[in-house]
Amino acid sequence: PPGYSNQQSYLAYCDGIVADNLALFTLRYTDNITFIKSKCDKIKETYRLYCYGGMGQRIYQKNNGDLDASLMECNNFENNFSKACISGLAIAAGYNYHQNLNLSIKECDKFEKEYKEKCYFTLGNYMGTYYQKNRSLALEECKKINSKDKYDCIKGVLEIT
C-alpha cells in the first residue's frame, strides 16, 4: 500500500485503527470504563495503546468535556496506558473548538508539553476543517495564540490543506 514500507507495517497500522475504534465505539453504548478496559486488555499489547487512546477520547465525551475529571480517570491506568489515554484526551480537547478559541487555549494549556502540542495540533486540524472554504480564517485563529503553541496549531491547519 502507498505510504507504507511493507505489508506488515500497513497491517500494524490497521490493527491500531481497529483497537482505537474498539474503545471509541464500545463506549457509545456503555459508560462502564472497567468493561471497556477489559476489552482493551484482551488486545495484543502492541496495539493496546491505541485502544487506550480511543478510550481517552470517549472518557472526555462521557465527562461532557470536563478535562479535570477525565485526567483523573486516565491517571488511574498503568503508566503507558495512562499516557495513551491522556493522548486521547488531548485529541478530544483539540476537537472541542466550537468557535471559542479562548476556551480551547485554556483546555490545551492544562496538558503537559507533549500532550499540549498534540492538543494544539488537533485544534488547528479541526479549525482547518471547520473553515474548509476559507482556511486563512483558521490560520488567523492560530495566530491569535500568544505562545509558540500557535505553530503546532498552524501545522495542524496546514496538514489538511
Side-chain angles (χ1 to χ4, degrees):
Y4 294 92
S5 59
N6 58 42
Q7 185 77 13
Q8 188 174 0
S9 66
Y10 178 72
L11 291 174
Y13 170 77
C14 291
D15 284 344
I17 295 299
V18 168
D20 177 53
N21 283 303
L22 170 70
L24 283 170
F25 292 112
T26 307
L27 264 171
R28 286 188 182 178
Y29 304 106
T30 179
D31 286 343
N32 186 337
I33 299 303
T34 304
F35 174 77
I36 302 304
K37 182 182 180 306
S38 73
K39 297 298 179 196
C40 287
D41 288 345
K42 290 180 181 175
I43 295 173
K44 186 176 176 181
E45 191 167 346
T46 310
Y47 310 114
R48 197 175 306 155
L49 294 174
Y50 292 103
C51 193
Y52 276 81
M55 194 173 350
Q57 292 178 54
R58 293 301 294 161
I59 286 171
Y60 185 82
Q61 291 171 350
K62 174 185 77 78
N63 289 328
N64 296 314
D66 183 338
L67 184 57
D68 295 323
S70 300
L71 282 166
M72 284 177 43
E73 284 192 56
C74 283
N75 283 324
N76 286 328
F77 300 130
E78 295 170 28
N79 192 24
N80 283 341
F81 301 119
S82 173
K83 289 178 180 181
C85 184
I86 293 169
S87 181
L89 290 179
I91 291 169
Y95 279 127
N96 201 24
Y97 170 59
H98 305 300
Q99 292 183 301
N100 187 339
L101 185 62
N102 290 331
L103 180 61
S104 296
I105 290 169
K106 193 174 175 182
E107 289 290 279
C108 286
D109 283 347
K110 290 181 182 179
F111 289 100
E112 294 177 18
K113 186 182 186 312
E114 69 181 284
Y115 308 112
K116 186 177 179 180
E117 290 171 359
K118 183 172 281 198
C119 186
Y120 277 108
F121 178 87
T122 305
L123 173 63
N125 203 266
Y126 178 78
M127 288 192 304
T129 302
Y130 185 84
Y131 294 113
Q132 190 170 4
K133 297 200 187 304
N134 189 354
R135 294 223 172 101
S136 63
L137 291 173
L139 291 171
E140 287 304 313
E141 285 285 89
C142 288
K143 289 176 185 175
K144 293 177 187 175
I145 299 169
N146 291 325
S147 62
K148 71 158 194 76
D149 300 313
K150 74 174 118 198
Y151 300 110
D152 292 315
C153 182
I154 290 168
K155 281 189 257 180
V157 172
L158 296 177
E159 182 194 70
I160 59 168
T161 55

